[in-house]
Amino acid sequence: MTVTLADVAARARVSPATVSRVLNGNYPVAASTRERVLRAVDDLDYVLNGPASSLAAATSDLVGILVNDIADPFFGIMAGAAQTEIGGPGDGSGRAGGEKLAVVCNTGGSPERELTYLTLLQRQRAAAVVLTGGAVEDPAHQAAVSAKLTKLADAGTRVVLCGRPPLPDGEAVVAALAFDNRGGGRRLTEHLLSLGHRRIGYVAGPLERTTTRHRLEGHRDALRAAGLVGDEERLTVHGPYDRRSGYDATLELLRREPEVTAVVAANDTVALGASAAIRDRGLRIPEDISVAGFDDLPFSVDAVPALTTVRLPLFEAGARAGRLAMGKETPPPGGIATIAAELMVRGSTAPPRGQ
Amino acid sequence: MTVTLADVAARARVSPATVSRVLNGNYPVAASTRERVLRAVDDLDYVLNGPASSLAAATSDLVGILVNDIADPFFGIMAGAAQTEIGGPGDGSGRAGGEKLAVVCNTGGSPERELTYLTLLQRQRAAAVVLTGGAVEDPAHQAAVSAKLTKLADAGTRVVLCGRPPLPDGEAVVAALAFDNRGGGRRLTEHLLSLGHRRIGYVAGPLERTTTRHRLEGHRDALRAAGLVGDEERLTVHGPYDRRSGYDATLELLRREPEVTAVVAANDTVALGASAAIRDRGLRIPEDISVAGFDDLPFSVDAVPALTTVRLPLFEAGARAGRLAMGKETPPPGGIATIAAELMVRGSTAPPRGQ
DNA sequence: CTGTTAGCGCATTCAT
DNA sequence: ATGAATGCGCTAACAG
């Protein structure tokens, strides 16, 4: 019932080897023969058996893209960009030539699921793996991931990090594209300080995440440089990277310190929740309290007032990661590139009252 | 170099078949033997060869989830929910047992890429495929997709539609979960009519998409029932499902008919762009113009004013699709279920001026 | 409950 | 430029 290479070969009156060569395209075949084979393929509606092909060739055309939260456009934008570089445009025939199968795997931020997905991709002999977004900082987990990536690399899988800091021993990795979270966080808080803010609340992301830590460190670097020390812990609340957490954490912040004049959120989504909480408390943005985010997601410019934030070139970074995973671009020197973060000053930040 | 089943068998002093049975778990094996095998697996750091396994068993553990736009939370939420039902929680060992590999494929709304992905998944002998979101209505493409899905189903792949209308011949499909886009669209416009609006602009999605058509039909059903006919075409502007399109289309709408008192957007993201355009023209929401969306994405409640919209249970639908794809839930009668859409009235809609 | 045997469908040597 | 032969690593009968 199911059509195999041999069936195609028989119909085209050539050997199976020739059909294989035509399909894979990387071998000289006479034009007339190729013609005949392709016609047989179409006539029989033949579809290559991926597992058999992968087994014989010891490689597959699967490329995995791991994301922490697929419902978050931060990851969606990067993953989509990577996929466009990896998947190829197709030829419209639906026949599918040498395309890679670029797939997105959602870890939900869980270290276990991250490892499970890596194992599953290893099992499939994936051609490449792209890990996006911040890493969990638990040492045991980091060691496990490093070990897994090393094994993947040894088996010929290209490993690329995108929006994630380099591994301690970067050996296993083709390239690491890291966002300048620390620098962005610092410049954002410097902006608030320059407006005159002195009591700045910080709604941080989950603990033990590199992204959380780096953004917070940048914030505190700026505070320290301004001589504002001692209140950091009290003015920081941690929570997940979602709207709800931003809402709740901001209420908690206002409870701890009713005199805050600005709230910095771990990212734009959290900033949205923070803004809602501030308004629900009857306060105005930015007249009573300034609000700032991070990432500059598409909706941030449409917030009311428009959100001051730090722009990350998510699409460009994702596309570059995709090209690196395909070996279409040479890795940066040392395999590490830092991607700049740009401060976007908009309407949600202003000088504090009476300034 | 690479460890195989035979190596594990040798170390555990059993036959390869026994190792296979332990690993696949669906066959009686003595506890002590299982113990020995698992230890050998860990000792040797063995990882199953997926392609070989799939070839021999003629099935794979890959499940594909097709989405139109991975950067859009509408799809991210559904896909994430489906993945949680399919992927399994993992056991924390990173060893990966019988888990399926749930992967998301981003078509970018392109019919060609949709077909290419289906072919690629067919090639991999995917265990199941979930197609989410509206379909392109081009007859040639629909026929091609139907044919492809039939072949997939014949090869044992379970096909589930989520947020997409049933196929003409639903034979190939395990189940179709369709959103009540038409009913939701109708109730939304009825709400505006009941507030007193008579000149209602409509920012529609792209042409030839089922979602676009059904929502628009619901809108026009309501208009017709209210005796408002003749102006539909002039008060409708089509565009992609993104923020930018909402912005541009709304400006065009205001140009065509400065007296519109309400704008209905194809979805929440478009509504955000529409709101920005309205404000940039110096008009207030809802005092001068009411705005409404569709989907009730998480950010919509935080818009200022909060967005009136139609809630779709995206997470629940995605999870159900995932269970259906796994055969963990019995399909609805006839394989078709319509998922209700609930009107959410919030601050962005109000009676027109002078009403 | 466990071992033996025989392919799964293809890519790739080597020949020619 | 093409054909013939071999084996990739595993699962699934079939025995026992």
Side-chain angles (χ1 to χ4, degrees):
Chain A
M1 358 171 308
T2 158
V3 182
T4 75
L5 236 202
D7 300 328
V8 175
R11 186 172 231 275
R13 313 185 63 74
V14 295
S15 73
T18 299
V19 178
S20 172
R21 296 198 259 251
V22 169
L23 261 30
N24 291 311
N26 32 10
Y27 210 85
V29 173
S32 63
T33 312
R34 177 210 279 9
E35 200 64 26
R36 219 152 15 101
V37 169
L38 288 180
R39 192 143 30 77
V41 166
D42 280 346
D43 289 350
L44 265 41
D45 217 20
Y46 170 70
V47 175
L48 190 68
N49 183 315
S53 171
S54 296
L55 174 58
T59 66
S60 88
D61 55 3
L62 194 71
V63 175
I65 302 170
L66 267 61
V67 302
N68 287 341
D69 182 4
I70 198 177
D72 186 339
F74 174 83
F75 292 100
I77 292 170
M78 281 194 292
Q83 272 195 325
T84 61
E85 293 290 340
I86 294 167
D91 63 356
S93 73
R95 194 197 289 130
E99 289 96 344
K100 301 287 180 195
L101 210 197
V103 301
V104 178
C105 306
N106 183 35
T107 66
S110 148
E112 291 77 29
R113 289 197 58 71
E114 181 169 83
L115 276 176
T116 300
Y117 268 122
L118 287 175
T119 300
L120 253 14
L121 289 166
Q122 180 183 13
R123 210 181 254 190
Q124 300 297 331
R125 306 305 190 245
V129 171
V130 179
L131 291 97
T132 66
V136 171
E137 294 204 291
D138 173 55
H141 178 246
Q142 285 202 312
V145 168
S146 278
K148 190 57 101 179
L149 293 182
T150 301
K151 273 172 220 137
L152 279 162
D154 287 350
T157 299
R158 308 178 67 93
V159 179
V160 176
L161 308 183
C162 179
R164 171 177 299 220
L167 300 179
D169 62 336
E171 306 305 323
V173 166
V174 169
L177 308 178
F179 293 131
D180 182 19
N181 284 312
R182 187 162 179 156
R186 184 170 43 69
R187 284 190 292 282
L188 180 57
T189 296
E190 284 169 354
H191 158 67
L192 289 169
L193 291 168
S194 77
L195 288 173
H197 293 276
R198 288 301 176 268
R199 289 174 197 275
I200 305 176
Y202 194 93
V203 180
L207 283 166
E208 303 204 329
R209 291 295 254 294
T210 53
T211 307
T212 299
R213 182 165 62 79
H214 292 152
R215 292 180 183 182
L216 184 52
E217 283 175 1
H219 170 67
R220 291 187 176 174
D221 287 350
L223 291 182
R224 200 173 314 114
L228 294 173
V229 289
D231 256 2
E232 303 94 320
E233 292 301 337
R234 194 171 57 92
L235 293 180
T236 301
V237 181
H238 285 270
Y241 281 117
D242 62 29
R243 181 261 167 199
R244 173 64 179 274
S245 157
Y247 189 94
D248 294 343
T250 300
L251 291 184
E252 167 65 17
L253 218 43
L254 292 172
R255 205 171 298 127
R256 288 192 196 170
E257 175 53 273
E259 302 298 312
V260 289
T261 62
V263 172
V264 177
N267 71 14
D268 288 358
T269 304
V270 171
L272 229 54
S275 302
I278 288 168
R279 274 192 299 270
D280 284 358
R281 286 287 296 264
L283 301 167
R284 290 164 306 164
I285 301 170
E287 292 83 354
D288 298 315
I289 297 191
S290 288
V291 174
F294 210 111
D295 293 344
D296 195 23
L297 296 185
F299 62 73
S300 301
V301 70
D302 287 329
V304 180
L307 189 65
T308 291
T309 185
V310 176
R311 164 175 275 272
L312 256 25
L314 299 174
F315 190 92
E316 293 77 3
R320 188 169 172 198
R323 289 192 299 273
L324 286 163
M326 296 294 284
K328 292 198 292 192
E329 179 173 320
T330 55
I336 298 177
T338 299
I339 302 196
E342 180 191 2
L343 178 64
M344 306 294 287
V345 176
R346 297 200 272 243
S348 69
T349 50
R353 297 186 68 89
Q355 191 78 5
Chain B
M1 353 165 299
T2 157
V3 181
T4 75
L5 235 203
D7 299 329
V8 175
R11 185 173 232 274
R13 313 185 63 76
V14 295
S15 74
T18 299
V19 178
S20 173
R21 296 197 261 250
V22 171
L23 261 30
N24 292 311
N26 31 11
Y27 212 84
V29 173
S32 63
T33 311
R34 177 210 268 35
E35 199 64 25
R36 216 148 21 99
V37 169
L38 288 180
R39 195 143 28 79
V41 166
D42 280 345
D43 289 350
L44 266 40
D45 217 19
Y46 169 70
V47 175
L48 191 69
N49 183 316
S53 168
S54 296
L55 174 58
T59 66
S60 87
D61 55 3
L62 195 69
V63 175
I65 303 170
L66 267 61
V67 302
N68 287 340
D69 182 4
I70 197 177
D72 186 339
F74 174 83
F75 292 100
I77 291 169
M78 281 195 292
Q83 273 194 328
T84 60
E85 292 291 338
I86 294 167
D91 63 356
S93 74
R95 193 196 291 130
E99 288 96 344
K100 301 286 180 196
L101 210 197
V103 301
V104 178
C105 306
N106 183 35
T107 67
S110 148
E112 291 77 29
R113 290 197 57 71
E114 180 169 84
L115 276 177
T116 299
Y117 267 122
L118 287 175
T119 300
L120 254 13
L121 289 166
Q122 180 183 12
R123 208 181 254 190
Q124 300 298 330
R125 307 304 191 246
V129 171
V130 178
L131 291 96
T132 65
V136 172
E137 293 204 292
D138 173 56
H141 178 246
Q142 285 202 313
V145 168
S146 277
K148 189 59 99 179
L149 293 183
T150 301
K151 273 172 220 136
L152 278 162
D154 287 349
T157 299
R158 309 177 68 92
V159 179
V160 176
L161 308 183
C162 179
R164 169 176 302 219
L167 299 180
D169 62 337
E171 305 306 323
V173 166
V174 169
L177 308 179
F179 293 130
D180 182 19
N181 284 312
R182 188 162 179 156
R186 182 169 45 68
R187 285 191 292 282
L188 181 56
T189 296
E190 284 170 354
H191 158 67
L192 289 169
L193 291 168
S194 77
L195 287 174
H197 293 276
R198 288 300 176 268
R199 290 175 197 277
I200 304 176
Y202 193 93
V203 181
L207 283 165
E208 303 204 329
R209 292 294 257 291
T210 53
T211 307
T212 299
R213 182 165 64 78
H214 292 151
R215 291 180 184 181
L216 184 52
E217 283 174 359
H219 170 67
R220 292 187 175 172
D221 286 351
L223 291 182
R224 199 174 313 114
L228 294 173
V229 289
D231 256 1
E232 303 94 318
E233 292 300 338
R234 193 170 59 89
L235 292 181
T236 301
V237 181
H238 284 271
Y241 281 116
D242 61 28
R243 181 260 167 198
R244 172 64 180 273
S245 157
Y247 189 94
D248 294 343
T250 300
L251 290 183
E252 166 65 17
L253 218 44
L254 292 172
R255 205 172 297 128
R256 289 191 196 171
E257 175 52 273
E259 302 298 311
V260 290
T261 62
V263 172
V264 177
N267 71 14
D268 288 358
T269 304
V270 171
L272 227 55
S275 302
I278 288 167
R279 273 192 299 270
D280 285 358
R281 288 287 297 265
L283 300 167
R284 290 163 306 165
I285 302 169
E287 292 83 355
D288 298 315
I289 297 191
S290 287
V291 174
F294 211 110
D295 294 345
D296 195 23
L297 296 185
F299 62 74
S300 302
V301 70
D302 287 329
V304 181
L307 189 65
T308 290
T309 185
V310 177
R311 163 175 276 271
L312 255 26
L314 299 174
F315 190 92
E316 294 77 4
R320 187 168 171 197
R323 288 192 299 271
L324 286 163
M326 296 294 284
K328 292 197 292 192
E329 179 172 319
T330 56
I336 298 177
T338 299
I339 301 196
E342 179 191 3
L343 177 64
M344 306 294 287
V345 175
R346 297 201 272 244
S348 69
T349 51
R353 297 186 67 89
Q355 190 79 6

